[in-house]
Amino acid sequence: MQIASTTSTTGPVSSSSGSSDIAKLQKQLRELTEQLKGLASSDMDAKAKQQKAKLLQAQIQMVQAQITAIQRAQQQEQQRAQAAKAEGAAASAAQQQKAPSVKNPPAGLGNNVDTYA
């Protein structure tokens, strides 16, 4: 009996590594699905087929869960990046509003005095 290995991912997932992980998992999912389909034409006895089918179905569910987890992590990372970008833009706008305008100096005696050398 052949058993496909599964991999787990933990921690932050970057977009590029997450995409390649998803591609690998999707390939593994296709292979497991093909094994499950091929099981029907196999010459195993009924009890062994049933056990192998349950095993393959469990592996398929695990791979699907891993794909979902990676996609969710990517989505959360994108949301964090967007929030940080928005926060940076808001801070920049606030900083510009706080900075005194150099173009319009305050009116005072120094502005109206002509100096000759």
Side-chain angles (χ1 to χ4, degrees), residues 17-28:
S17 72
S19 297
S20 67
D21 288 344
I22 288 175
K24 289 176 188 175
L25 288 169
Q26 286 174 334
K27 180 182 177 191
Q28 186 177 2

Side-chain angles (χ1 to χ4, degrees), residues 1-81:
M1 181 186 302
Q2 180 184 4
I3 299 176
S5 66
T6 58
T7 58
S8 67
T9 57
T10 57
V13 177
S14 72
S15 179
S16 61
S17 72
S19 297
S20 67
D21 288 344
I22 288 175
K24 289 176 188 175
L25 288 169
Q26 286 174 334
K27 180 182 177 191
Q28 186 177 2
L29 187 60
R30 284 190 299 274
E31 291 171 357
L32 289 169
T33 304
E34 288 300 317
Q35 287 181 21
L36 189 58
K37 287 178 183 176
L39 192 60
S41 61
S42 157
D43 59 352
M44 299 171 118
D45 65 356
K47 189 173 185 177
K49 278 185 185 181
Q50 185 178 15
Q51 288 178 340
K52 180 147 183 170
K54 283 183 181 180
L55 175 67
L56 289 170
Q57 288 170 343
Q59 288 178 318
I60 288 170
Q61 288 176 345
M62 287 175 30
V63 171
Q64 288 172 333
Q66 288 176 333
I67 290 171
T68 302
I70 292 170
Q71 289 171 334
R72 188 174 298 124
Q74 285 177 329
Q75 185 179 28
Q76 289 174 348
E77 185 62 33
Q78 287 174 345
Q79 288 173 345
R80 276 190 223 109

